[in-house]
Structures are given as structure tokens and as C-alpha cells.
Amino acid sequence: QVQLVESGGGLVQPGGSLRLSCTASGSIFSIRAMGWYRQAPGKERELVATITSGGVANYADSVKGRFTISGDNAKNPVFLEMNSLKPEDTAVYYCSADITVLGPVRNLELWGQGTLVTVSS
């Protein structure tokens, strides 16, 4: 089966840094785009950053200048470098992939299980 697995979450002090990783596996023909989303307690899931297969990145205003999404040409794995972390960054972070599969050819949206990031002193 196709799946995404996130790693790298944990507890970090305000102002610190973390790097999240997302690895896709299974019968994936290609990855068109990858993204990171997060959901804090009591809030809706929100976009953090996305990157296309061509390397074009998009960021939420709240993380611009602090977070960087990156990956190789295949975007697998994809990373989220998080710097200058704030308590309000505390959330479960989810990896998402826009993938193409065969038999028949179709595009799908794939989600990981999430990894918890806690920013606290």
C-alpha cells in the first residue's frame, strides 16, 4: 500500500529548531507536490508549506522566514526545517502528497499519521 510516514517531532524550547521528515512508499508513479499542514488543539488543520515537483514553494504567512520546505527532485523524502520556534507553533504536523498512480492512471491525495511538535520552556 502507499503511505506517508512523518518523523522528527518532539519537545523544543522557544527559539529552537526542529527538522521534520516525510517519506513516501508504495506504488507511486510520481509525486506532483508535497506539503506540510498542522493542527493545534481546538483549531482547524491549516497549511504550513507546500512544494511542487519543480521546487516552487509556498508558505503560510505565520511561518515565512522561519520555516523551509525542501526535497530532492523526486520530493521523497521531503523536509520541513523549522527555526525560531514559538509556542504557537505547537501542533500535530501532517505530511500530505499529491501523487499519481497507475492502473488506471489517477491522482490521489495522501496523508501521513502526523508527528507532534511541542514548543515550550
Side-chain angles (χ1 to χ4, degrees), residues 2-5 21-37 49-56 69-79 95-102 105-112:
V2 295
Q3 64 176 16
L4 299 178
V5 178
S21 299
C22 176
T23 301
S25 63
S27 300
I28 301 171
F29 179 73
S30 65
I31 299 174
R32 306 202 301 173
M34 296 282 282
W36 288 95
Y37 295 74
T50 59
I51 187 167
T52 69
S53 61
V56 179
I69 187 170
S70 65
D72 63 10
N73 290 337
K75 302 298 179 288
N76 189 24
V78 67
F79 305 99
C95 179
S96 179
D98 179 8
I99 67 171
T100 301
V101 298
L102 303 179
V105 60
R106 58 198 184 277
N107 297 321
L108 300 173
E109 186 179 57
L110 190 65
W111 290 89

Side-chain angles (χ1 to χ4, degrees), residues 33-79:
M34 296 282 282
W36 288 95
Y37 295 74
R38 66 186 182 187
Q39 187 167 21
K43 293 187 175 182
E44 297 290 324
R45 188 174 299 186
E46 65 176 351
L47 170 72
V48 176
T50 59
I51 187 167
T52 69
S53 61
V56 179
N58 182 53
Y59 299 92
D61 288 341
S62 59
V63 306
K64 285 181 179 177
R66 299 189 298 121
F67 291 11
T68 302
I69 187 170
S70 65
D72 63 10
N73 290 337
K75 302 298 179 288
N76 189 24
V78 67
F79 305 99

